[in-house]
Amino acid sequence: MNRRAFLLALSFLITTAVTPVFAATLTGKVLFEGQAPEADLITADADPNCALLHPDGITPDDVIVNDNGTLKNVFVYVKEGLEDQTFEAPKTPVQFDQHGCMYTPKVFGIMVGQTLEITNSDDTLHNVHSLAEVNKAFNLGMPLKGMKIKKTFDKPEVMIKIKCDVHPWMGAYCGVLTHPFHSVTGDDGSFTIADLPAGTYTLEAWHEKYGTQTQEVTVADGDASELTFQFKG
Amino acid sequence: MYDRARHLYLKLLLAATFVLIAAGGLVTSTGSGLSVPDWPLSYGQYFPPMVGGIRYEHTHRVIAGTVGLLTLVYTLWSLVVERRVWMRRLALLAFASVVAQAILGGLTVLYLLPLPVSVTHACLGQSFFALLALLALFSSREWTQTRPAHSDDLGSLGRLFAITTGFVFAQLVLGAYVRHSGGSGVVPHIVVGLLVALHALLLLLRSGKSPSVSAAFQGPCLVIGALVLGQVFLGFGAFAYKYLMPAQQAARPAEVLLATAHQTNGALILAVLAYQTARCLRLCSPR
């Protein structure tokens, strides 16, 4: 390799390796205060295939309070502060599955133009009905196990509800953004938003039952900031 | 001329349509309207697996097809044997209504429940049921064989019946809007509901005014009163589940039954009122 090509390659490596180090990382938890609502088990008898998988019924998943007092399935994202920047949608599709007569994941983020790959892993009929209001809504029949359908969203929209009209307990939410800075809390109630450019941002935490909360944060390159959101039951 | 066979056939059609309206109500109450994404077939089949919401949606389609065929038979039968031109036209109107209902039903599925289409589909179904009730009246022995006994007392009662029927129709339109918009417009629906209840009470009081009126209309007005009273309770129950109790991921069985019964009873009230309005106006019309 000649000297010029070597220097170019080295510059490229330095640029791509160094940039994340100087970007900021936001971490935090979403706490829950109060008593988790009591909800009756949902009977799955409407579909024998689902009833076999859930003989005792289905625990509602609209509110999941973790053992450590945090809230699961909260969508945390940068709401404001990135308007003058553009980001390319990843080529990797977001996976959305119908498995065990439930949607997985229940809450997720996706970028405008990124592919959503919807799979039916169940041995029963499902339909995937998006209740989009800004994007074009769709309602897709997925009668066969192993069936896959791909969709994309053209415009940002927070949040789009996705439901199955065959199995009324099945519901999921999708946040469509123009950037990749989002996270969903898991079993420990934590979220992480990495590689955020320096700047001042408004962060929003969204929960399907408890609504939204926002916080302003200013980060510099290399910062590791921590935020806490708290929802009340 | 009284045609007993056709009159009985109309009663059968009326009963089947009542079941269809209840089945349609169940589709909405269970959120199953889009459980079958294609139309007119269901997942590309005539008989899809009957699971979950598909049970309600596909059953509704099957009953609708049956009512469509029954209506077609009635219409053709009337075109052949009915001597009254206006009755032949009404029979054609009934068939046109059921065809329009089928198209509207298909549009709700293919265009993902657009609000104006869903509301029109709901109201046309209930109006079709009322039309069948009128056809049953016009083909009855009372209408075809007995000479109407004119009574001036019936004039004001006839107007009251007509106004009440108008309020009930408005109430059904508002109710359809509430159901298909996810709960908007409930306050006007309650206000008009109170107006309907008031007019049902007025009908009951007016029907006892004179012997000639009582004989013909006190019984029906008692029935209307009972239906409207039941409707108020059903409406309150549906309201309580929708607005006062915590929302759940899947509708509770009681919630489904109350909302469906409220919607179906509304159609019954409209049909009974249309029937009695026509009876009364005939009796108070000049000789």
Side-chain angles (χ1 to χ4, degrees), chain B residues 12 31 45 77 113 229 234 259:
Chain B
L12 171 71
Q45 305 167 56
W77 191 355
L113 304 177
L229 185 63
L234 289 170

Side-chain angles (χ1 to χ4, degrees), chain A residues 73-148:
Chain A
N73 291 327
V74 177
F75 185 69
V76 183
Y77 71 105
V78 173
K79 185 178 181 181
E80 289 169 9
L82 290 166
E83 290 80 7
D84 58 347
Q85 298 185 55
T86 55
F87 301 90
E88 199 177 319
K91 297 277 186 287
T92 312
V94 170
Q95 299 292 331
F96 184 60
D97 197 6
Q98 294 146 109
H99 178 67
C101 297
M102 302 295 282
Y103 284 131
T104 309
K106 182 168 172 70
V107 177
F108 61 95
I110 192 169
M111 279 186 69
V112 169
Q114 187 177 8
T115 301
L116 178 67
E117 189 170 278
I118 308 167
T119 305
N120 181 8
S121 295
D122 279 339
D123 202 3
T124 191
L125 272 168
H126 288 295
N127 77 295
V128 182
H129 177 194
S130 90
L131 300 170
E133 292 177 6
V134 177
N135 287 277
K136 193 171 180 216
F138 57 78
N139 186 29
L140 312 166
M142 300 189 76
L144 303 171
K145 184 174 181 174
M147 200 171 160
K148 288 183 192 287

Side-chain angles (χ1 to χ4, degrees), chain B residues 155-175:
Chain B
S156 62
L157 184 65
R159 281 190 293 279
L160 189 57
F161 266 124
I163 290 168
T164 309
T165 306
F167 274 128
V168 167
F169 183 74
Q171 181 67 339
L172 292 179
V173 174
L174 288 169

Side-chain angles (χ1 to χ4, degrees), chain A residues 35-43 56-65 169 208-210, chain B residues 245-252:
Chain A
Q35 190 71 24
E38 281 182 32
D40 299 330
L41 284 174
I42 300 168
T43 176
D56 298 326
I58 294 171
T59 305
D61 61 358
D62 53 342
V63 177
I64 299 177
V65 180
W169 60 83
E208 74 171 277
K209 192 176 173 81
Y210 297 118
Chain B
M245 294 177 71
Q248 296 216 336
Q249 279 182 271
R252 305 168 185 84

Side-chain angles (χ1 to χ4, degrees), chain B residues 40 64 73 155 158 166 192 281:
Chain B
V73 167
V192 177
L281 291 176

Side-chain angles (χ1 to χ4, degrees), chain B residues 21 93 96-102 104 118-131 169:
Chain B
I21 288 175
L93 179 63
S97 300
V98 91
V99 169
Q101 264 301 77
L104 286 170
S118 297
V119 169
T120 306
H121 185 64
C123 295
L124 181 56
Q126 291 161 326
S127 303
F128 172 70
F129 183 62
L131 174 61
F169 183 74

